[in-house]
Amino acid sequence: MRANLRDDKVVAATPQEQLLLETDSPYLTPMPYRGVENAPKYLPFIAEKIAEVKGIDVEAVLKQTYANSLREFF
């Protein structure tokens, strides 16, 4: 998935403890699905990109963002 360099810098600078996965942007669907309405089923692509930018395993991203969502919303 290709993202813009500015997005990569924002992700790289954001502490893992502050990351959440979301699909509130209906027209910012991750590649390769750009052009269709965004949906939760595309979250794995977002998690993969975060893992790539941060140089960590995607499972670590999923575990951390899940813990972050529990802390933030519950």
Side-chain angles (χ1 to χ4, degrees), residues 36-58:
V36 299
E37 190 170 336
N38 208 355
K41 66 183 177 181
Y42 299 123
L43 285 176
F45 295 100
I46 297 166
E48 288 171 4
K49 183 61 181 180
I50 290 171
E52 176 187 322
V53 169
K54 290 198 159 291
I56 61 176
D57 185 71
V58 70

Side-chain angles (χ1 to χ4, degrees), residues 17-39:
E17 296 76 22
Q18 295 180 1
L19 289 173
L20 295 171
L21 301 177
E22 58 88 15
T23 58
D24 287 346
S25 299
Y27 303 107
L28 292 176
T29 306
M31 298 304 265
Y33 298 100
R34 188 66 45 95
V36 299
E37 190 170 336
N38 208 355

